[in-house]
Amino acid sequence: MKADYDAFLICNPKGEDREFADQLVDTMQDSPYNLKICVPWRVTDGRCNARDCIRERCKRCIVILSSNFYKSEEAVSQLEFAYSLSPGFKERLILPICLNICEVPSYLQQISKLELYNMNARKWLWERLYLSLISHKNKAPEKQTKNLPDVVKSANIRN
């Protein structure tokens, strides 16, 4: 089955988490990324049952972790469900973003997280997120490849 969305967004839909979620969705859905992100509070087609959407309509899940995350039972339930679809992260279904230093579930400890509180990581946030979301296509974004030198040609490697 072909997925309708590149990702499903899991977060506490209140406060700072919601503000960042809206910024993330607006950025990822706009040029140059042009991705489709399923956001439960924005879907208006009446077909957004979170579990069905995660399982059948989305390729990945973005989870926004923060000190407020665990205040939303719905967000915690969605994350646990997404994890149950790919135990051991064989399919890399979940892409965590940490807004601040916060509790990270033990089953997410061993995977890379985008840490927004790390100022060095912020400048690469959108590109790293985009590359993670499209990694299944093995396609580099046009924005990333424009001014990069051809390493193989410039290395003058001889056989």
Side-chain angles (χ1 to χ4, degrees):
M1 176 191 290
K2 186 177 179 200
D4 297 330
Y5 297 97
D6 294 294
F8 183 90
L9 184 64
I10 300 171
C11 74
N12 182 339
K14 295 186 176 146
E16 174 185 316
D17 297 16
R18 170 76 177 259
E19 291 172 23
F20 176 73
D22 287 337
Q23 179 186 9
L24 180 149
V25 172
D26 292 343
T27 302
M28 289 289 106
Q29 292 188 151
D30 199 9
S31 182
Y33 306 111
N34 301 314
L35 297 175
K36 293 181 185 177
I37 310 292
C38 182
V39 184
W41 61 86
R42 287 190 179 184
V43 174
T44 59
D45 66 4
R47 300 185 326 164
C48 192
N49 172 298
R51 289 179 180 237
D52 290 341
C53 200
I54 291 169
R55 180 179 42 242
E56 299 170 9
R57 299 179 66 198
C58 298
K59 296 174 189 168
R60 301 259 203 293
C61 291
I62 300 168
V63 59
I64 298 173
L65 297 170
S66 72
S67 52
N68 294 321
F69 180 78
Y70 289 98
K71 294 177 183 174
S72 170
E73 289 179 23
E74 183 178 3
V76 172
S77 174
Q78 291 169 354
L79 175 58
E80 290 171 350
F81 178 74
Y83 174 72
S84 75
L85 296 176
S86 181
F89 293 99
K90 291 180 183 174
E91 296 177 26
R92 295 184 350 198
L93 180 67
I94 301 170
L95 304 169
I97 299 173
C98 296
L99 287 185
N100 47 42
I101 297 173
C102 59
E103 180 183 347
V104 177
S106 60
Y107 53 86
L108 294 181
Q109 294 286 332
Q110 300 303 315
I111 63 169
S112 295
K113 293 164 262 324
L114 296 173
E115 297 171 336
L116 209 60
Y117 57 87
N118 178 343
M119 295 310 278
N120 292 326
R122 281 185 180 217
K123 63 183 174 183
W124 303 109
L125 172 68
W126 306 125
E127 288 79 10
R128 286 185 66 196
L129 180 58
Y130 176 76
L131 288 170
S132 295
L133 289 170
I134 64 143
S135 64
H136 65 283
K137 296 178 185 176
N138 293 324
K139 176 176 112 179
E142 196 172 303
K143 182 178 180 184
Q144 285 290 316
T145 59
K146 281 188 178 173
N147 296 316
L148 298 176
D150 187 336
V151 176
V152 175
K153 286 181 182 176
S154 65
N156 293 323
I157 299 174
R158 297 180 198 194
N159 291 332

PDB file of all heavy atoms in Angstrom, residues 80-117:
ATOM      1  N   GLU A  80       3.906   4.881  21.743  1.00  0.00           N
ATOM      2  CA  GLU A  80       3.997   3.458  22.087  1.00  0.00           C
ATOM      3  C   GLU A  80       3.458   2.587  20.961  1.00  0.00           C
ATOM      4  O   GLU A  80       4.027   1.535  20.643  1.00  0.00           O
ATOM      5  CB  GLU A  80       3.271   3.187  23.404  1.00  0.00           C
ATOM      6  CG  GLU A  80       3.995   3.773  24.596  1.00  0.00           C
ATOM      7  CD  GLU A  80       3.206   3.716  25.895  1.00  0.00           C
ATOM      8  OE1 GLU A  80       1.993   3.384  25.866  1.00  0.00           O
ATOM      9  OE2 GLU A  80       3.805   4.018  26.951  1.00  0.00           O
ATOM     10  N   PHE A  81       2.391   3.023  20.319  1.00  0.00           N
ATOM     11  CA  PHE A  81       1.839   2.271  19.194  1.00  0.00           C
ATOM     12  C   PHE A  81       2.829   2.259  18.025  1.00  0.00           C
ATOM     13  O   PHE A  81       3.084   1.208  17.424  1.00  0.00           O
ATOM     14  CB  PHE A  81       0.498   2.864  18.742  1.00  0.00           C
ATOM     15  CG  PHE A  81      -0.079   2.151  17.564  1.00  0.00           C
ATOM     16  CD1 PHE A  81      -0.650   0.891  17.709  1.00  0.00           C
ATOM     17  CD2 PHE A  81      -0.041   2.715  16.303  1.00  0.00           C
ATOM     18  CE1 PHE A  81      -1.173   0.209  16.614  1.00  0.00           C
ATOM     19  CE2 PHE A  81      -0.555   2.048  15.200  1.00  0.00           C
ATOM     20  CZ  PHE A  81      -1.120   0.795  15.361  1.00  0.00           C
ATOM     21  N   ALA A  82       3.400   3.409  17.698  1.00  0.00           N
ATOM     22  CA  ALA A  82       4.378   3.476  16.606  1.00  0.00           C
ATOM     23  C   ALA A  82       5.567   2.564  16.902  1.00  0.00           C
ATOM     24  O   ALA A  82       6.052   1.860  16.009  1.00  0.00           O
ATOM     25  CB  ALA A  82       4.840   4.916  16.396  1.00  0.00           C
ATOM     26  N   TYR A  83       6.030   2.556  18.134  1.00  0.00           N
ATOM     27  CA  TYR A  83       7.142   1.686  18.517  1.00  0.00           C
ATOM     28  C   TYR A  83       6.770   0.216  18.341  1.00  0.00           C
ATOM     29  O   TYR A  83       7.580  -0.592  17.884  1.00  0.00           O
ATOM     30  CB  TYR A  83       7.583   1.961  19.952  1.00  0.00           C
ATOM     31  CG  TYR A  83       8.625   0.981  20.415  1.00  0.00           C
ATOM     32  CD1 TYR A  83       9.923   1.041  19.910  1.00  0.00           C
ATOM     33  CD2 TYR A  83       8.319  -0.025  21.319  1.00  0.00           C
ATOM     34  CE1 TYR A  83      10.889   0.122  20.305  1.00  0.00           C
ATOM     35  CE2 TYR A  83       9.279  -0.942  21.721  1.00  0.00           C
ATOM     36  CZ  TYR A  83      10.552  -0.866  21.209  1.00  0.00           C
ATOM     37  OH  TYR A  83      11.492  -1.786  21.593  1.00  0.00           O
ATOM     38  N   SER A  84       5.543  -0.137  18.683  1.00  0.00           N
ATOM     39  CA  SER A  84       5.122  -1.537  18.575  1.00  0.00           C
ATOM     40  C   SER A  84       5.138  -2.041  17.133  1.00  0.00           C
ATOM     41  O   SER A  84       5.234  -3.236  16.893  1.00  0.00           O
ATOM     42  CB  SER A  84       3.725  -1.728  19.176  1.00  0.00           C
ATOM     43  OG  SER A  84       2.727  -1.210  18.305  1.00  0.00           O
ATOM     44  N   LEU A  85       5.074  -1.136  16.174  1.00  0.00           N
ATOM     45  CA  LEU A  85       5.097  -1.525  14.756  1.00  0.00           C
ATOM     46  C   LEU A  85       6.501  -1.844  14.263  1.00  0.00           C
ATOM     47  O   LEU A  85       6.668  -2.474  13.221  1.00  0.00           O
ATOM     48  CB  LEU A  85       4.504  -0.409  13.886  1.00  0.00           C
ATOM     49  CG  LEU A  85       3.030  -0.095  14.136  1.00  0.00           C
ATOM     50  CD1 LEU A  85       2.610   1.101  13.285  1.00  0.00           C
ATOM     51  CD2 LEU A  85       2.162  -1.307  13.853  1.00  0.00           C
ATOM     52  N   SER A  86       7.503  -1.382  14.994  1.00  0.00           N
ATOM     53  CA  SER A  86       8.884  -1.613  14.569  1.00  0.00           C
ATOM     54  C   SER A  86       9.789  -1.814  15.782  1.00  0.00           C
ATOM     55  O   SER A  86      10.682  -1.015  16.034  1.00  0.00           O
ATOM     56  CB  SER A  86       9.376  -0.424  13.742  1.00  0.00           C
ATOM     57  OG  SER A  86      10.691  -0.648  13.303  1.00  0.00           O
ATOM     58  N   PRO A  87       9.573  -2.872  16.547  1.00  0.00           N
ATOM     59  CA  PRO A  87      10.431  -3.103  17.716  1.00  0.00           C
ATOM     60  C   PRO A  87      11.882  -3.310  17.277  1.00  0.00           C
ATOM     61  O   PRO A  87      12.141  -3.930  16.264  1.00  0.00           O
ATOM     62  CB  PRO A  87       9.841  -4.360  18.359  1.00  0.00           C
ATOM     63  CG  PRO A  87       9.061  -5.023  17.276  1.00  0.00           C
ATOM     64  CD  PRO A  87       8.608  -3.935  16.346  1.00  0.00           C
ATOM     65  N   GLY A  88      12.779  -2.730  18.025  1.00  0.00           N
ATOM     66  CA  GLY A  88      14.189  -2.842  17.674  1.00  0.00           C
ATOM     67  C   GLY A  88      14.602  -1.869  16.583  1.00  0.00           C
ATOM     68  O   GLY A  88      15.735  -1.845  16.151  1.00  0.00           O
ATOM     69  N   PHE A  89      13.691  -1.071  16.106  1.00  0.00           N
ATOM     70  CA  PHE A  89      13.937  -0.036  15.098  1.00  0.00           C
ATOM     71  C   PHE A  89      14.527  -0.569  13.807  1.00  0.00           C
ATOM     72  O   PHE A  89      15.332   0.084  13.161  1.00  0.00           O
ATOM     73  CB  PHE A  89      14.821   1.082  15.668  1.00  0.00           C
ATOM     74  CG  PHE A  89      14.117   1.842  16.737  1.00  0.00           C
ATOM     75  CD1 PHE A  89      14.354   1.578  18.064  1.00  0.00           C
ATOM     76  CD2 PHE A  89      13.171   2.785  16.413  1.00  0.00           C
ATOM     77  CE1 PHE A  89      13.685   2.250  19.060  1.00  0.00           C
ATOM     78  CE2 PHE A  89      12.491   3.472  17.398  1.00  0.00           C
ATOM     79  CZ  PHE A  89      12.746   3.201  18.722  1.00  0.00           C
ATOM     80  N   LYS A  90      14.118  -1.740  13.404  1.00  0.00           N
ATOM     81  CA  LYS A  90      14.609  -2.298  12.147  1.00  0.00           C
ATOM     82  C   LYS A  90      14.179  -1.453  10.957  1.00  0.00           C
ATOM     83  O   LYS A  90      14.876  -1.372   9.961  1.00  0.00           O
ATOM     84  CB  LYS A  90      14.131  -3.736  11.987  1.00  0.00           C
ATOM     85  CG  LYS A  90      14.774  -4.671  12.970  1.00  0.00           C
ATOM     86  CD  LYS A  90      14.295  -6.077  12.807  1.00  0.00           C
ATOM     87  CE  LYS A  90      14.938  -6.956  13.877  1.00  0.00           C
ATOM     88  NZ  LYS A  90      14.429  -8.288  13.872  1.00  0.00           N
ATOM     89  N   GLU A  91      13.019  -0.822  11.053  1.00  0.00           N
ATOM     90  CA  GLU A  91      12.528  -0.005   9.951  1.00  0.00           C
ATOM     91  C   GLU A  91      12.717   1.486  10.193  1.00  0.00           C
ATOM     92  O   GLU A  91      12.291   2.298   9.381  1.00  0.00           O
ATOM     93  CB  GLU A  91      11.047  -0.303   9.709  1.00  0.00           C
ATOM     94  CG  GLU A  91      10.820  -1.728   9.267  1.00  0.00           C
ATOM     95  CD  GLU A  91       9.349  -2.033   9.105  1.00  0.00           C
ATOM     96  OE1 GLU A  91       8.565  -1.101   8.846  1.00  0.00           O
ATOM     97  OE2 GLU A  91       8.982  -3.200   9.238  1.00  0.00           O
ATOM     98  N   ARG A  92      13.320   1.863  11.291  1.00  0.00           N
ATOM     99  CA  ARG A  92      13.540   3.270  11.625  1.00  0.00           C
ATOM    100  C   ARG A  92      12.279   4.108  11.440  1.00  0.00           C
ATOM    101  O   ARG A  92      12.281   5.138  10.789  1.00  0.00           O
ATOM    102  CB  ARG A  92      14.692   3.833  10.804  1.00  0.00           C
ATOM    103  CG  ARG A  92      15.990   3.190  11.126  1.00  0.00           C
ATOM    104  CD  ARG A  92      17.135   3.798  10.409  1.00  0.00           C
ATOM    105  NE  ARG A  92      16.718   4.733   9.385  1.00  0.00           N
ATOM    106  CZ  ARG A  92      17.457   5.157   8.403  1.00  0.00           C
ATOM    107  NH1 ARG A  92      18.663   4.728   8.292  1.00  0.00           N
ATOM    108  NH2 ARG A  92      17.018   6.009   7.518  1.00  0.00           N
ATOM    109  N   LEU A  93      11.209   3.650  12.019  1.00  0.00           N
ATOM    110  CA  LEU A  93       9.918   4.299  11.869  1.00  0.00           C
ATOM    111  C   LEU A  93       9.828   5.613  12.646  1.00  0.00           C
ATOM    112  O   LEU A  93       9.179   6.546  12.211  1.00  0.00           O
ATOM    113  CB  LEU A  93       8.817   3.336  12.340  1.00  0.00           C
ATOM    114  CG  LEU A  93       7.385   3.820  12.262  1.00  0.00           C
ATOM    115  CD1 LEU A  93       6.969   3.994  10.811  1.00  0.00           C
ATOM    116  CD2 LEU A  93       6.458   2.837  12.951  1.00  0.00           C
ATOM    117  N   ILE A  94      10.493   5.700  13.790  1.00  0.00           N
ATOM    118  CA  ILE A  94      10.349   6.856  14.680  1.00  0.00           C
ATOM    119  C   ILE A  94      11.579   7.762  14.589  1.00  0.00           C
ATOM    120  O   ILE A  94      12.705   7.309  14.708  1.00  0.00           O
ATOM    121  CB  ILE A  94      10.143   6.397  16.135  1.00  0.00           C
ATOM    122  CG1 ILE A  94       8.894   5.521  16.230  1.00  0.00           C
ATOM    123  CG2 ILE A  94      10.043   7.595  17.076  1.00  0.00           C
ATOM    124  CD1 ILE A  94       8.731   4.817  17.555  1.00  0.00           C
ATOM    125  N   LEU A  95      11.327   9.064  14.403  1.00  0.00           N
ATOM    126  CA  LEU A  95      12.386  10.070  14.356  1.00  0.00           C
ATOM    127  C   LEU A  95      12.150  11.055  15.500  1.00  0.00           C
ATOM    128  O   LEU A  95      11.284  11.919  15.404  1.00  0.00           O
ATOM    129  CB  LEU A  95      12.364  10.807  13.017  1.00  0.00           C
ATOM    130  CG  LEU A  95      12.481   9.936  11.774  1.00  0.00           C
ATOM    131  CD1 LEU A  95      12.188  10.730  10.526  1.00  0.00           C
ATOM    132  CD2 LEU A  95      13.859   9.319  11.712  1.00  0.00           C
ATOM    133  N   PRO A  96      12.891  10.937  16.605  1.00  0.00           N
ATOM    134  CA  PRO A  96      12.660  11.817  17.754  1.00  0.00           C
ATOM    135  C   PRO A  96      13.387  13.159  17.642  1.00  0.00           C
ATOM    136  O   PRO A  96      14.522  13.231  17.181  1.00  0.00           O
ATOM    137  CB  PRO A  96      13.200  11.023  18.934  1.00  0.00           C
ATOM    138  CG  PRO A  96      13.992   9.910  18.379  1.00  0.00           C
ATOM    139  CD  PRO A  96      13.772   9.836  16.912  1.00  0.00           C
ATOM    140  N   ILE A  97      12.694  14.204  18.086  1.00  0.00           N
ATOM    141  CA  ILE A  97      13.267  15.541  18.207  1.00  0.00           C
ATOM    142  C   ILE A  97      13.073  15.964  19.652  1.00  0.00           C
ATOM    143  O   ILE A  97      11.942  15.944  20.153  1.00  0.00           O
ATOM    144  CB  ILE A  97      12.563  16.554  17.281  1.00  0.00           C
ATOM    145  CG1 ILE A  97      12.715  16.150  15.816  1.00  0.00           C
ATOM    146  CG2 ILE A  97      13.112  17.961  17.510  1.00  0.00           C
ATOM    147  CD1 ILE A  97      11.913  17.016  14.857  1.00  0.00           C
ATOM    148  N   CYS A  98      14.153  16.343  20.327  1.00  0.00           N
ATOM    149  CA  CYS A  98      14.069  16.795  21.719  1.00  0.00           C
ATOM    150  C   CYS A  98      14.084  18.326  21.742  1.00  0.00           C
ATOM    151  O   CYS A  98      15.079  18.937  21.321  1.00  0.00           O
ATOM    152  CB  CYS A  98      15.222  16.258  22.545  1.00  0.00           C
ATOM    153  SG  CYS A  98      15.229  14.460  22.689  1.00  0.00           S
ATOM    154  N   LEU A  99      13.004  18.933  22.215  1.00  0.00           N
ATOM    155  CA  LEU A  99      12.950  20.396  22.306  1.00  0.00           C
ATOM    156  C   LEU A  99      13.828  20.920  23.425  1.00  0.00           C
ATOM    157  O   LEU A  99      14.414  21.983  23.315  1.00  0.00           O
ATOM    158  CB  LEU A  99      11.518  20.876  22.568  1.00  0.00           C
ATOM    159  CG  LEU A  99      10.536  20.800  21.427  1.00  0.00           C
ATOM    160  CD1 LEU A  99       9.215  21.427  21.826  1.00  0.00           C
ATOM    161  CD2 LEU A  99      11.082  21.470  20.195  1.00  0.00           C
ATOM    162  N   ASN A 100      13.896  20.176  24.511  1.00  0.00           N
ATOM    163  CA  ASN A 100      14.713  20.568  25.652  1.00  0.00           C
ATOM    164  C   ASN A 100      15.231  19.286  26.315  1.00  0.00           C
ATOM    165  O   ASN A 100      14.875  18.192  25.892  1.00  0.00           O
ATOM    166  CB  ASN A 100      13.908  21.437  26.638  1.00  0.00           C
ATOM    167  CG  ASN A 100      12.542  20.856  26.953  1.00  0.00           C
ATOM    168  OD1 ASN A 100      12.392  19.653  27.142  1.00  0.00           O
ATOM    169  ND2 ASN A 100      11.528  21.704  27.014  1.00  0.00           N
ATOM    170  N   ILE A 101      16.066  19.452  27.305  1.00  0.00           N
ATOM    171  CA  ILE A 101      16.548  18.272  28.021  1.00  0.00           C
ATOM    172  C   ILE A 101      15.354  17.687  28.766  1.00  0.00           C
ATOM    173  O   ILE A 101      14.699  18.383  29.550  1.00  0.00           O
ATOM    174  CB  ILE A 101      17.689  18.643  28.987  1.00  0.00           C
ATOM    175  CG1 ILE A 101      18.883  19.176  28.185  1.00  0.00           C
ATOM    176  CG2 ILE A 101      18.089  17.448  29.839  1.00  0.00           C
ATOM    177  CD1 ILE A 101      20.010  19.730  29.014  1.00  0.00           C
ATOM    178  N   CYS A 102      15.049  16.440  28.452  1.00  0.00           N
ATOM    179  CA  CYS A 102      13.832  15.848  28.997  1.00  0.00           C
ATOM    180  C   CYS A 102      13.995  14.333  29.093  1.00  0.00           C
ATOM    181  O   CYS A 102      14.967  13.765  28.604  1.00  0.00           O
ATOM    182  CB  CYS A 102      12.635  16.182  28.104  1.00  0.00           C
ATOM    183  SG  CYS A 102      12.805  15.601  26.408  1.00  0.00           S
ATOM    184  N   GLU A 103      13.001  13.709  29.704  1.00  0.00           N
ATOM    185  CA  GLU A 103      12.995  12.257  29.809  1.00  0.00           C
ATOM    186  C   GLU A 103      12.735  11.653  28.433  1.00  0.00           C
ATOM    187  O   GLU A 103      11.799  12.036  27.735  1.00  0.00           O
ATOM    188  CB  GLU A 103      11.898  11.822  30.778  1.00  0.00           C
ATOM    189  CG  GLU A 103      11.807  10.336  30.962  1.00  0.00           C
ATOM    190  CD  GLU A 103      10.655   9.934  31.863  1.00  0.00           C
ATOM    191  OE1 GLU A 103      10.072  10.799  32.550  1.00  0.00           O
ATOM    192  OE2 GLU A 103      10.338   8.736  31.864  1.00  0.00           O
ATOM    193  N   VAL A 104      13.596  10.722  28.045  1.00  0.00           N
ATOM    194  CA  VAL A 104      13.447  10.009  26.778  1.00  0.00           C
ATOM    195  C   VAL A 104      13.130   8.564  27.120  1.00  0.00           C
ATOM    196  O   VAL A 104      13.819   7.958  27.933  1.00  0.00           O
ATOM    197  CB  VAL A 104      14.743  10.100  25.939  1.00  0.00           C
ATOM    198  CG1 VAL A 104      14.625   9.291  24.660  1.00  0.00           C
ATOM    199  CG2 VAL A 104      15.074  11.563  25.624  1.00  0.00           C
ATOM    200  N   PRO A 105      12.067   8.004  26.519  1.00  0.00           N
ATOM    201  CA  PRO A 105      11.733   6.608  26.830  1.00  0.00           C
ATOM    202  C   PRO A 105      12.932   5.686  26.613  1.00  0.00           C
ATOM    203  O   PRO A 105      13.729   5.897  25.687  1.00  0.00           O
ATOM    204  CB  PRO A 105      10.615   6.276  25.840  1.00  0.00           C
ATOM    205  CG  PRO A 105      10.060   7.588  25.420  1.00  0.00           C
ATOM    206  CD  PRO A 105      11.183   8.570  25.506  1.00  0.00           C
ATOM    207  N   SER A 106      13.047   4.676  27.438  1.00  0.00           N
ATOM    208  CA  SER A 106      14.200   3.774  27.363  1.00  0.00           C
ATOM    209  C   SER A 106      14.350   3.148  25.978  1.00  0.00           C
ATOM    210  O   SER A 106      15.459   2.960  25.496  1.00  0.00           O
ATOM    211  CB  SER A 106      14.101   2.690  28.438  1.00  0.00           C
ATOM    212  OG  SER A 106      12.918   1.933  28.254  1.00  0.00           O
ATOM    213  N   TYR A 107      13.252   2.860  25.306  1.00  0.00           N
ATOM    214  CA  TYR A 107      13.337   2.231  23.990  1.00  0.00           C
ATOM    215  C   TYR A 107      13.782   3.198  22.894  1.00  0.00           C
ATOM    216  O   TYR A 107      14.083   2.772  21.785  1.00  0.00           O
ATOM    217  CB  TYR A 107      12.014   1.548  23.606  1.00  0.00           C
ATOM    218  CG  TYR A 107      10.781   2.420  23.705  1.00  0.00           C
ATOM    219  CD1 TYR A 107      10.402   3.234  22.648  1.00  0.00           C
ATOM    220  CD2 TYR A 107       9.996   2.401  24.843  1.00  0.00           C
ATOM    221  CE1 TYR A 107       9.263   4.022  22.732  1.00  0.00           C
ATOM    222  CE2 TYR A 107       8.859   3.172  24.926  1.00  0.00           C
ATOM    223  CZ  TYR A 107       8.495   3.982  23.871  1.00  0.00           C
ATOM    224  OH  TYR A 107       7.374   4.758  23.951  1.00  0.00           O
ATOM    225  N   LEU A 108      13.877   4.506  23.203  1.00  0.00           N
ATOM    226  CA  LEU A 108      14.409   5.476  22.239  1.00  0.00           C
ATOM    227  C   LEU A 108      15.844   5.886  22.556  1.00  0.00           C
ATOM    228  O   LEU A 108      16.450   6.659  21.827  1.00  0.00           O
ATOM    229  CB  LEU A 108      13.540   6.738  22.203  1.00  0.00           C
ATOM    230  CG  LEU A 108      12.122   6.609  21.687  1.00  0.00           C
ATOM    231  CD1 LEU A 108      11.423   7.965  21.716  1.00  0.00           C
ATOM    232  CD2 LEU A 108      12.105   6.043  20.279  1.00  0.00           C
ATOM    233  N   GLN A 109      16.391   5.359  23.665  1.00  0.00           N
ATOM    234  CA  GLN A 109      17.722   5.761  24.110  1.00  0.00           C
ATOM    235  C   GLN A 109      18.820   5.460  23.085  1.00  0.00           C
ATOM    236  O   GLN A 109      19.785   6.195  22.980  1.00  0.00           O
ATOM    237  CB  GLN A 109      18.071   5.077  25.435  1.00  0.00           C
ATOM    238  CG  GLN A 109      17.221   5.504  26.593  1.00  0.00           C
ATOM    239  CD  GLN A 109      17.560   6.886  27.099  1.00  0.00           C
ATOM    240  OE1 GLN A 109      18.680   7.348  26.977  1.00  0.00           O
ATOM    241  NE2 GLN A 109      16.577   7.541  27.675  1.00  0.00           N
ATOM    242  N   GLN A 110      18.678   4.376  22.358  1.00  0.00           N
ATOM    243  CA  GLN A 110      19.766   3.911  21.488  1.00  0.00           C
ATOM    244  C   GLN A 110      19.725   4.457  20.068  1.00  0.00           C
ATOM    245  O   GLN A 110      20.552   4.080  19.253  1.00  0.00           O
ATOM    246  CB  GLN A 110      19.754   2.377  21.438  1.00  0.00           C
ATOM    247  CG  GLN A 110      19.939   1.723  22.789  1.00  0.00           C
ATOM    248  CD  GLN A 110      21.222   2.150  23.474  1.00  0.00           C
ATOM    249  OE1 GLN A 110      22.268   2.204  22.847  1.00  0.00           O
ATOM    250  NE2 GLN A 110      21.143   2.475  24.750  1.00  0.00           N
ATOM    251  N   ILE A 111      18.781   5.333  19.763  1.00  0.00           N
ATOM    252  CA  ILE A 111      18.734   5.870  18.404  1.00  0.00           C
ATOM    253  C   ILE A 111      19.073   7.348  18.414  1.00  0.00           C
ATOM    254  O   ILE A 111      18.957   8.023  19.434  1.00  0.00           O
ATOM    255  CB  ILE A 111      17.365   5.632  17.727  1.00  0.00           C
ATOM    256  CG1 ILE A 111      16.253   6.360  18.455  1.00  0.00           C
ATOM    257  CG2 ILE A 111      17.056   4.161  17.620  1.00  0.00           C
ATOM    258  CD1 ILE A 111      14.954   6.363  17.690  1.00  0.00           C
ATOM    259  N   SER A 112      19.510   7.842  17.285  1.00  0.00           N
ATOM    260  CA  SER A 112      19.875   9.255  17.169  1.00  0.00           C
ATOM    261  C   SER A 112      18.646  10.134  17.305  1.00  0.00           C
ATOM    262  O   SER A 112      17.582   9.827  16.783  1.00  0.00           O
ATOM    263  CB  SER A 112      20.525   9.521  15.808  1.00  0.00           C
ATOM    264  OG  SER A 112      21.729   8.822  15.713  1.00  0.00           O
ATOM    265  N   LYS A 113      18.842  11.230  18.012  1.00  0.00           N
ATOM    266  CA  LYS A 113      17.779  12.203  18.207  1.00  0.00           C
ATOM    267  C   LYS A 113      18.262  13.562  17.713  1.00  0.00           C
ATOM    268  O   LYS A 113      19.442  13.863  17.816  1.00  0.00           O
ATOM    269  CB  LYS A 113      17.402  12.297  19.692  1.00  0.00           C
ATOM    270  CG  LYS A 113      16.765  11.054  20.250  1.00  0.00           C
ATOM    271  CD  LYS A 113      16.758  11.042  21.753  1.00  0.00           C
ATOM    272  CE  LYS A 113      17.851  10.273  22.419  1.00  0.00           C
ATOM    273  NZ  LYS A 113      18.355   9.067  21.872  1.00  0.00           N
ATOM    274  N   LEU A 114      17.356  14.348  17.190  1.00  0.00           N
ATOM    275  CA  LEU A 114      17.680  15.736  16.873  1.00  0.00           C
ATOM    276  C   LEU A 114      17.450  16.530  18.149  1.00  0.00           C
ATOM    277  O   LEU A 114      16.342  16.541  18.682  1.00  0.00           O
ATOM    278  CB  LEU A 114      16.794  16.260  15.747  1.00  0.00           C
ATOM    279  CG  LEU A 114      16.963  15.569  14.398  1.00  0.00           C
ATOM    280  CD1 LEU A 114      15.921  16.050  13.413  1.00  0.00           C
ATOM    281  CD2 LEU A 114      18.354  15.808  13.856  1.00  0.00           C
ATOM    282  N   GLU A 115      18.498  17.152  18.663  1.00  0.00           N
ATOM    283  CA  GLU A 115      18.417  17.845  19.947  1.00  0.00           C
ATOM    284  C   GLU A 115      18.348  19.346  19.709  1.00  0.00           C
ATOM    285  O   GLU A 115      19.364  19.992  19.472  1.00  0.00           O
ATOM    286  CB  GLU A 115      19.606  17.475  20.818  1.00  0.00           C
ATOM    287  CG  GLU A 115      19.619  15.997  21.159  1.00  0.00           C
ATOM    288  CD  GLU A 115      20.885  15.540  21.839  1.00  0.00           C
ATOM    289  OE1 GLU A 115      21.948  16.191  21.673  1.00  0.00           O
ATOM    290  OE2 GLU A 115      20.812  14.512  22.532  1.00  0.00           O
ATOM    291  N   LEU A 116      17.145  19.887  19.762  1.00  0.00           N
ATOM    292  CA  LEU A 116      16.933  21.294  19.473  1.00  0.00           C
ATOM    293  C   LEU A 116      17.573  22.211  20.496  1.00  0.00           C
ATOM    294  O   LEU A 116      17.903  23.340  20.197  1.00  0.00           O
ATOM    295  CB  LEU A 116      15.436  21.567  19.384  1.00  0.00           C
ATOM    296  CG  LEU A 116      15.043  22.704  18.476  1.00  0.00           C
ATOM    297  CD1 LEU A 116      15.496  22.439  17.050  1.00  0.00           C
ATOM    298  CD2 LEU A 116      13.563  22.921  18.508  1.00  0.00           C
ATOM    299  N   TYR A 117      17.765  21.726  21.721  1.00  0.00           N
ATOM    300  CA  TYR A 117      18.401  22.539  22.751  1.00  0.00           C
ATOM    301  C   TYR A 117      19.898  22.685  22.501  1.00  0.00           C
ATOM    302  O   TYR A 117      20.548  23.542  23.077  1.00  0.00           O
ATOM    303  CB  TYR A 117      18.135  21.971  24.149  1.00  0.00           C
ATOM    304  CG  TYR A 117      18.587  20.546  24.332  1.00  0.00           C
ATOM    305  CD1 TYR A 117      19.886  20.249  24.715  1.00  0.00           C
ATOM    306  CD2 TYR A 117      17.705  19.490  24.115  1.00  0.00           C
ATOM    307  CE1 TYR A 117      20.298  18.938  24.871  1.00  0.00           C
ATOM    308  CE2 TYR A 117      18.110  18.186  24.278  1.00  0.00           C
ATOM    309  CZ  TYR A 117      19.402  17.912  24.653  1.00  0.00           C
ATOM    310  OH  TYR A 117      19.813  16.608  24.802  1.00  0.00           O
TER     311      TYR A 117
END
